[in-house]
């Protein structure tokens, strides 16, 4: 089972940087690390994906240490609209037949 | 943009009824998934399909079956609905290649009375 572990919840204030860490101790060589964001009453949506070191896009950065047993999603200068549940999972980019298992996610609450 | 459409946003059914949840994607993806989401439990995988007529059990398949007769459509079936199947059901399809990602529908909130 592709199990990940994240904090259940985090609180922050507008303008702060938020870092959410996920552990994935049994990640395999072929697995990529992916993060999703979910707002209430919506399906999750893709944020960022990486294999190692650092990946950055217009929304977030993803830091992955050399052993790849954890990853950290970094949200720069959060706003109220970043209040959501954030999920990490890892997946194998080898084609079909792969289960994609989500954990319980991290509920981020951003306040003024 | 990829579109994943779930046929109903809200459904109310009675215990023992047979329930069909439909999901359609418009990007010719081979892989499709059904999850259910419950408070405190996150998303749990029920079934997935990697090709037409091909399916595999997820983590919680009991009480469910699926059908994939056409590539674009993946149906979740509750043979005899029970109250513990009251939940939010989310369908997803997966793109492939370098930027592989899941695309989710808006979800179906099913209430079994």
């Amino acid at each position: 089972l592709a199990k990940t572990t994240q904090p259940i919840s985090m609180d922050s204030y507008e303008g702060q940087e938020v870092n959410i860490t996920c552990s994935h101790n049994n990640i395999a060589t072929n697995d990529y690390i992916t993060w999703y964001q979910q707002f209430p009453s919506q399906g999750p949506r893709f944020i960022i994906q990486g294999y190692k070191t650092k990946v950055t896009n217009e929304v977030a950065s993803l830091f992955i240490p050399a052993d790849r047993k954890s990853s950290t999603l970094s949200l720069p200068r959060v706003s109220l609209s970043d209040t959501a549940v954030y999920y990490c999972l890892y997946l194998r980019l080898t084609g079909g037949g792969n289960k994609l298992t989500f954990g319980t996610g991290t509920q981020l609450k951003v306040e003024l | 943009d990829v579109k994943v459409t779930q046929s109903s946003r809200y459904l109310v059914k009675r215990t023992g009824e047979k329930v069909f949840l439909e999901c359609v994607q418009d990007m010719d993806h081979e892989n499709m998934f059904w999850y259910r989401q419950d408070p405190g439990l996150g998303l749990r995988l029920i079934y997935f399909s990697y090709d037409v007529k091909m399916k595999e059990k997820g983590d919680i398949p009991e009480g469910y079956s699926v059908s994939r007769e056409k590539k674009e459509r993946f149906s979740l079936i509750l043979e005899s609905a029970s109250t513990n199947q009251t939940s939010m059901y989310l369908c997803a399809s997966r793109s492939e290649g370098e930027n592989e990602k899941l695309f989710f529908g808006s979800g179906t909130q099913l209430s079994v009375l």
Side-chain angles (χ1 to χ4, degrees), chain A residues 4 6 22 24 27 31-37 45-51 62 64 68 71 73 86-93 100-103, chain B residues 94 98-102 104:
Chain A
T4 59
Q6 309 171 228
C22 175
H24 24 81
I27 193 169
D31 294 337
Y32 280 68
I33 296 149
T34 309
W35 285 79
Y36 285 78
Q37 175 191 55
R45 65 170 190 165
F46 173 90
I47 303 176
I48 197 166
Q49 178 171 285
Y51 185 79
L62 179 60
I64 304 167
R68 302 192 339 112
S71 61
L73 175 73
Y86 293 83
Y87 295 93
C88 79
L89 68 157
Y90 52 91
L91 59 92
R92 209 152 293 171
L93 298 188
L100 297 180
T101 302
F102 286 73
Chain B
R94 190 178 88 183
E98 193 175 305
N99 293 314
E100 180 170 324
K101 60 183 76 167
L102 287 173
F104 282 85

Side-chain angles (χ1 to χ4, degrees), chain B residues 7-81:
Chain B
S7 54
S8 303
R9 189 74 179 93
Y10 300 96
L11 268 182
V12 181
K13 297 291 181 181
R14 296 206 175 274
T15 301
E17 277 192 76
K18 189 168 186 176
V19 182
F20 293 86
L21 301 183
E22 306 287 348
C23 176
V24 177
Q25 50 99 358
D26 66 355
M27 282 300 291
D28 203 37
H29 291 164
E30 292 184 348
N31 292 270
M32 296 186 73
F33 304 80
W34 274 106
Y35 293 88
R36 64 176 281 178
Q37 186 170 32
D38 302 286
L41 297 177
L43 281 87
R44 294 181 291 167
L45 180 64
I46 305 171
Y47 265 98
F48 68 101
S49 168
Y50 52 92
D51 204 347
V52 174
K53 297 190 187 295
M54 307 303 287
K55 61 186 179 184
E56 282 198 32
K57 293 179 180 179
D59 299 316
I60 51 163
E62 296 78 21
Y64 303 94
S65 62
V66 290
S67 172
R68 185 102 181 265
E69 296 297 319
K70 293 185 178 180
K71 197 173 188 179
E72 67 270 18
R73 187 180 296 270
F74 190 34
S75 303
L76 181 69
I77 304 158
L78 288 66
E79 296 290 341
S80 178

